Amino acid sequence: MDSTTPGTANLTDAQRIDCLRLIRSDNVGPRTFRSLVNHFGSARKALERLPELARRGGAARPGRICSEEDARAELAACGRLGVHLLAPGEDGYPPRLSELDDAPPLLGVRGVRDALMRPIIAIVGSRNASGAGLKFAGTLARDLGEAGFVIASGLARGIDAAAHRASVESGTVAVLAGGHDRIYPSEHQELLEALIAAGGAAISEMPLGHVPRAHDFPRRNRLISGVALGVVVIEAAHRSGSLITARIAAEQGREVFAVPGSPLDPRAAGTNDLIKQGATLTTEAADVINAVEPIMGRPLSLREPDDEPLASEPNSGDRARILDLLGPTPVLLDDLIRMAGTSPAIVRTVLLELELAGRLERHGGGLVSMI
Amino acid sequence: MDSTTPGTANLTDAQRIDCLRLIRSDNVGPRTFRSLVNHFGSARKALERLPELARRGGAARPGRICSEEDARAELAACGRLGVHLLAPGEDGYPPRLSELDDAPPLLGVRGVRDALMRPIIAIVGSRNASGAGLKFAGTLARDLGEAGFVIASGLARGIDAAAHRASVESGTVAVLAGGHDRIYPSEHQELLEALIAAGGAAISEMPLGHVPRAHDFPRRNRLISGVALGVVVIEAAHRSGSLITARIAAEQGREVFAVPGSPLDPRAAGTNDLIKQGATLTTEAADVINAVEPIMGRPLSLREPDDEPLASEPNSGDRARILDLLGPTPVLLDDLIRMAGTSPAIVRTVLLELELAGRLERHGGGLVSMI
């Protein structure tokens, strides 16, 4: 058990600095962070072993390790902006988010922490929404707010902004794709300040100064559904970003709601498809409330800290065999373990080394490939 | 086994006259017709016993029994209009319709019989449909027609007419609420002639000259779903007639399809509700085809001719006990049988007597009440 496990005591200042250094180091994502801390017992000890692991993984040049100085500078800058870097289990870290395998080890939180501890429903949809879609988003957000739910969304134009605006008074959370000082779109800075001033919050896992790019949005979308009991999709064309959020939400075990529309309206094609695939058809707040009420009292399914043990020292034969099995085509981790003819712990350790060396990519659904 | 059982040989002229006399006699509906023929062995023998049964049921005055002369006159008039009165099992009697408990013992068929023997999909919806709804009805009817399905509908204004018009070439069936010589609305007489000329058909269970009234439409709606593998509802407000058709279709074991719409469109309230209740969300012909294809090869579930035996002679104690249990509040037939403390056959016989005396009403779901 490490101190970032939800439900444990708060981090010490030194632990927070160590965690920040580890997650800001090259090739360390939330899942790798978790493997390392579980295996070595603390972020501090993992930091000490990073260079050796990356070298064993065949790193061409050593990855950058975030210095203590840089971490202290980021913490201080966060402090000036009113951003708190919180670990799972700390007050203000959304409880449902801490259930995820890839929950951010440190989440930048600005605003009123209570908004993040209450039951949350996410509302997402098209940026170029119709008047009817915008109106419905407002009505739904207002009704869910009156029923006691906080509304999460992505601060985008269209449906997102309509949902935030209608729930400023009752509580709303903006989930950012960039750093807290790089609001996108910039015209929504004012909306963000208003929703925070009224008791809401903004969250981001990215460092200050990070300008959001296209690939940051799908990654961010897992947080929109991750903080919520369920996600409502209002107006989404085929292959739109909101459908990615819906897919991730389903993978996370979140309820998926979709608002129907005419077959002749291309902005309803995605939501109608979601309903065909099993999403709950939603025409009013009661459809959402009836579906999430039974699960609100359900205890959080906390991550098992020891579900993926590492081996202390794979030998060079193990490494060679596993490298042979890997290529640019993603393979299932489970298949890899079976084909490698060695223990799961050794396979996971070799993959971790490769990841830290910047040579391995993890995809959704337990798939891995060489870069 | 009587000769009106599906799959048996065609009726003789004399049998057809007897069947027509029985179904056109007072207080004889399709279910009563079936009980009588099953019990007495033929329509002729049932006709002979009608006065006695009605008297035993306590008829204030004897109900009118259709004379042989009147029946011959109706047959002759039908002949002049090109209407054939067909029994279940005869060529041109829709095979799926013959599955129903309350299948018409004689169905008036005008047009091309082959259209009634092919796989049929019903399309129904609002009379005051939107432009989008009318357009979608046309597209769906055309696509289903091209896929080999005949389209059934009710010849009403709005969705019904759009569905018929788009399937004139591929085959469409108008299900009438009145007699074949009393087309409603009269402005659709021309559409009806066009769809018949192109290879379609019109059907009605009502006698010639019958002007359709409000209560005839729900009764007619069971035939729209009854001839079809499934019913597609396009645009239906809350509490609209199309929802009655959808409920009957579900009770008949037919597939129910509904076209979604915006929550802000009152014309989609009924269809969105149907989807919430389990109807298949439909945005294109493939949604319908994929759902009905597996059941198209399924053999018809023919009615069991002997599932409801009658007793030859209930005694007056039985009659009194059953009358005591009946009142204006509908009760379940099964409860009545249990409470009466006598055999199901005796209860059914007493109910038949009361029905023929015009004193009993049968409701859906096996409920009966005194009138």
Side-chain angles (χ1 to χ4, degrees):
Chain A
M1 298 282 285
D2 68 277
S3 59
T4 64
T5 304
T8 59
N10 290 357
L11 300 189
T12 63
D13 288 349
Q15 283 173 329
R16 203 175 310 271
I17 291 289
D18 291 342
C19 286
L20 187 56
R21 288 184 62 198
L22 186 56
I23 191 62
R24 295 292 187 241
S25 293
D26 279 359
N27 305 318
V28 178
R31 281 201 180 83
T32 315
F33 179 99
R34 185 181 156 210
S35 289
L36 290 167
V37 172
N38 284 344
H39 185 61
F40 295 110
S42 73
R44 166 73 54 100
K45 286 185 185 139
L47 282 165
E48 290 165 5
R49 303 292 294 278
L50 271 192
E52 179 197 343
L53 288 165
R55 197 185 63 246
R56 291 199 327 227
R61 344 169 249 160
R64 200 190 63 90
I65 293 179
C66 174
S67 69
E68 188 175 328
E69 193 185 353
D70 285 352
R72 288 199 183 280
E74 179 173 349
L75 262 184
C78 281
R80 286 189 294 274
L81 279 173
V83 174
H84 298 270
L85 292 173
L86 304 176
E90 293 192 306
D91 179 48
Y93 195 104
R96 296 275 161 196
L97 186 60
S98 63
E99 291 180 317
L100 304 185
D101 276 350
D102 56 356
L106 286 176
L107 183 71
V109 170
R110 194 181 149 221
V112 179
R113 295 186 189 197
D114 178 57
L116 296 160
M117 305 304 280
R118 287 164 52 197
I120 298 175
I121 299 292
I123 297 180
V124 300
S126 303
R127 285 188 299 277
N128 65 335
S130 71
L134 295 173
K135 183 177 172 193
F136 184 79
T139 304
L140 185 70
R142 199 169 297 111
D143 291 349
L144 287 171
E146 278 171 15
F149 292 92
V150 170
I151 302 301
S153 196
L155 203 66
R157 298 185 184 98
I159 298 293
D160 285 23
H164 284 306
R165 283 202 179 93
S167 56
V168 164
E169 293 307 317
S170 52
T172 185
V173 170
V175 184
L176 309 176
H180 276 283
D181 55 351
R182 294 289 183 274
I183 299 309
Y184 178 85
S186 57
E187 74 216 49
H188 284 170
Q189 181 80 49
E190 205 171 332
L191 171 60
L192 182 70
E193 300 308 328
L195 71 84
I196 286 177
I203 61 174
S204 169
E205 65 175 327
M206 305 311 275
L208 293 182
H210 182 87
V211 177
R213 302 191 173 221
H215 66 265
D216 291 322
F217 290 91
R219 177 180 172 158
R220 182 276 312 266
N221 291 352
R222 87 186 197 285
L223 304 184
I224 295 181
S225 51
V227 301
L229 291 158
V231 176
V232 186
V233 184
I234 302 176
E235 287 197 348
H238 277 308
R239 275 189 273 274
S240 64
S242 303
L243 299 187
I244 298 175
T245 309
R247 181 178 52 73
I248 295 170
E251 287 169 6
Q252 291 172 342
R254 303 301 189 252
E255 300 293 315
V256 179
F257 303 91
V259 179
S262 162
L264 301 180
D265 181 356
R267 285 182 278 214
T271 52
N272 286 341
D273 269 356
L274 285 175
I275 298 165
K276 287 184 188 177
Q277 291 158 27
T280 301
L281 186 146
T282 301
T283 58
E284 56 183 353
D287 297 322
V288 177
I289 296 167
N290 292 341
V292 300
E293 263 184 345
I295 59 174
M296 280 175 65
R298 205 165 60 186
L300 298 177
S301 54
L302 295 181
R303 298 173 300 172
E304 285 293 327
D306 297 314
D307 58 350
E308 291 187 357
L310 298 174
S312 28
E313 187 72 40
N315 63 41
S316 53
D318 293 330
R319 282 199 192 88
R321 204 163 39 251
I322 293 165
L323 266 176
D324 275 353
L325 292 167
L326 284 166
T329 306
V331 289
L332 271 174
L333 180 55
D334 287 348
D335 288 344
L336 196 65
I337 288 169
R338 214 180 45 246
M339 292 184 289
T342 178
S343 77
I346 285 177
V347 175
R348 288 201 189 90
T349 307
V350 171
L351 295 183
L352 181 64
E353 290 169 1
L354 292 170
E355 199 173 1
L356 292 169
R359 299 174 64 195
L360 187 91
E361 188 170 2
R362 288 186 193 269
H363 311 265
L367 290 161
V368 294
S369 69
M370 295 298 275
I371 290 169
Chain B
M1 297 282 287
D2 68 277
S3 57
T4 65
T5 305
T8 59
N10 290 356
L11 298 191
T12 64
D13 288 350
Q15 283 172 329
R16 204 176 309 274
I17 291 289
D18 290 341
C19 286
L20 186 56
R21 288 184 61 197
L22 186 56
I23 190 62
R24 296 290 188 244
S25 293
D26 279 359
N27 304 318
V28 178
R31 281 201 182 82
T32 315
F33 179 97
R34 184 182 157 208
S35 289
L36 289 166
V37 172
N38 283 344
H39 185 60
F40 294 110
S42 72
R44 166 73 53 101
K45 286 185 186 139
L47 282 165
E48 290 165 5
R49 302 293 294 278
L50 270 192
E52 177 197 344
L53 288 165
R55 197 185 62 246
R56 290 200 326 227
R61 346 169 248 160
R64 200 189 64 89
I65 293 178
C66 173
S67 69
E68 189 174 327
E69 192 185 353
D70 286 351
R72 289 199 183 278
E74 180 174 347
L75 262 184
C78 282
R80 286 189 295 273
L81 279 172
V83 174
H84 299 270
L85 292 173
L86 303 176
E90 292 192 306
D91 179 48
Y93 195 104
R96 298 273 161 198
L97 186 60
S98 63
E99 292 180 316
L100 304 185
D101 276 350
D102 56 356
L106 285 177
L107 183 70
V109 170
R110 195 182 147 220
V112 179
R113 296 186 188 198
D114 178 57
L116 296 160
M117 304 305 279
R118 287 166 50 200
I120 299 176
I121 299 293
I123 297 181
V124 300
S126 302
R127 285 188 300 275
N128 65 336
S130 71
L134 295 173
K135 183 176 173 194
F136 183 79
T139 303
L140 185 71
R142 200 169 296 113
D143 291 349
L144 288 171
E146 280 171 14
F149 292 92
V150 170
I151 303 301
S153 196
L155 203 68
R157 298 187 184 96
I159 298 293
D160 285 22
H164 284 304
R165 283 202 180 92
S167 55
V168 164
E169 293 307 317
S170 53
T172 185
V173 171
V175 184
L176 310 175
H180 275 283
D181 54 351
R182 293 291 183 272
I183 300 309
Y184 178 86
S186 57
E187 74 215 51
H188 284 170
Q189 182 79 51
E190 205 171 332
L191 171 60
L192 182 70
E193 300 308 326
L195 70 84
I196 287 176
I203 61 174
S204 168
E205 65 176 326
M206 305 311 276
L208 293 182
H210 183 87
V211 176
R213 302 191 173 220
H215 66 264
D216 291 321
F217 290 92
R219 177 181 172 158
R220 182 275 314 263
N221 291 352
R222 87 185 196 287
L223 303 184
I224 296 182
S225 51
V227 300
L229 292 157
V231 177
V232 187
V233 184
I234 300 176
E235 285 197 351
H238 277 305
R239 275 189 274 272
S240 64
S242 303
L243 300 186
I244 298 175
T245 309
R247 182 178 53 71
I248 295 170
E251 287 169 6
Q252 291 172 343
R254 303 298 188 254
E255 300 292 316
V256 180
F257 303 90
V259 179
S262 162
L264 301 180
D265 180 357
R267 285 183 277 215
T271 53
N272 285 341
D273 270 356
L274 285 175
I275 298 166
K276 287 184 188 177
Q277 291 157 28
T280 300
L281 186 146
T282 301
T283 57
E284 54 183 354
D287 296 322
V288 177
I289 296 167
N290 293 340
V292 301
E293 264 184 344
I295 58 175
M296 280 174 63
R298 206 165 60 188
L300 297 179
S301 53
L302 295 181
R303 299 172 300 171
E304 285 292 327
D306 296 314
D307 58 351
E308 290 187 357
L310 299 175
S312 26
E313 187 70 40
N315 64 41
S316 55
D318 294 329
R319 283 200 191 85
R321 204 162 40 250
I322 292 165
L323 267 175
D324 275 352
L325 291 167
L326 284 166
T329 306
V331 289
L332 271 174
L333 179 56
D334 287 349
D335 288 346
L336 197 64
I337 288 170
R338 215 179 46 246
M339 292 185 291
T342 177
S343 78
I346 285 177
V347 174
R348 288 201 190 89
T349 307
V350 172
L351 295 182
L352 182 64
E353 291 169 359
L354 292 169
E355 200 173 0
L356 291 171
R359 298 174 65 194
L360 187 91
E361 189 173 0
R362 290 185 193 267
H363 310 265
L367 290 160
V368 294
S369 70
M370 294 299 275
I371 291 169

